[in-house]
Amino acid sequence: MNIIIFGPPGAGKGTQSKFIANKFNLYQLSTGDLLREEIKNKTKLGSEISSIINSGELVSDKIVSNLIEKFISNNTFKNKIIFDGYPRTLNQARNLDDLLKKYVQKIDVVLKLSVSLETVIKRILERKTLEQRADDNKEIAIKRFKTYEKSSETVIDYYKQSNLLKVVNGEAGISEINAEISEIIHAIKG
Ligand code: AMP
């Protein structure tokens, strides 16, 4: 089973992905984590993308596409991926479909975590004290939320059309969201 977890920054995508990965024996593919790893390791790519990430914009589709193909093409992860933070644009959604076709896989469900800007800011400021992410401050959080709003509608419509979209109330507590997501996945697994 391959799952997409979708939602604005601070929606709880990472937290929920880790939970789902553990519970259902899947692998979390967080493009944000992979990109931050490049910055931390001071790679060439890392130096190209750090200012983009820290301004709350999206890095290019090509860069993230290369990162996810490495994952999708690896047999260890075949049909066991939770896409956390990818796709974020319609172009990425289409590209993901092409890649999945190439490696004979598909998406089983898209979980959309719905949260307000107010909640996003509150959570990001809480997370800042724990993770010290350079892009976790109020101003950049608002910018990231706006970046999300700009492209999310078309991505959501895309998955609505293919009947894969399930909306989850991201305002609820972590364990309530865990429970709702588990129910959805159990229903799909049958
Ligand atoms: P995240 O950890 O998912 O909040 O992502 C942190 C930042 O990494 C985003 O604000 C973007 O700058 C970049 N990023 C992560 N995933 C993507 C993606 N799929 N497309 C473009 N940029 C991304």
Side-chain angles (χ1 to χ4, degrees), residues 121-152:
I121 292 171
K122 192 171 144 265
R123 288 192 188 156
I124 282 180
L125 293 181
E126 280 165 12
R127 182 170 68 187
K128 177 142 190 88
T129 59
L130 299 171
E131 295 181 17
Q132 273 111 38
R133 269 176 59 168
D135 59 347
D136 274 351
N137 63 59
K138 189 172 175 185
E139 191 192 326
I140 302 299
I142 294 170
K143 175 76 183 111
R144 285 158 63 207
F145 191 85
K146 291 201 166 133
T147 302
Y148 167 80
E149 282 193 317
K150 230 191 282 169
S151 57
S152 60

Side-chain angles (χ1 to χ4, degrees), residues 31-32 35-36 53 57-59 85-86 88 92 133 144:
T31 42
L35 294 167
R36 279 186 290 280
I53 292 188
E57 303 275 356
L58 295 181
V59 308
Y86 189 95
R88 269 170 150 96
Q92 290 183 6
R133 269 176 59 168
R144 285 158 63 207

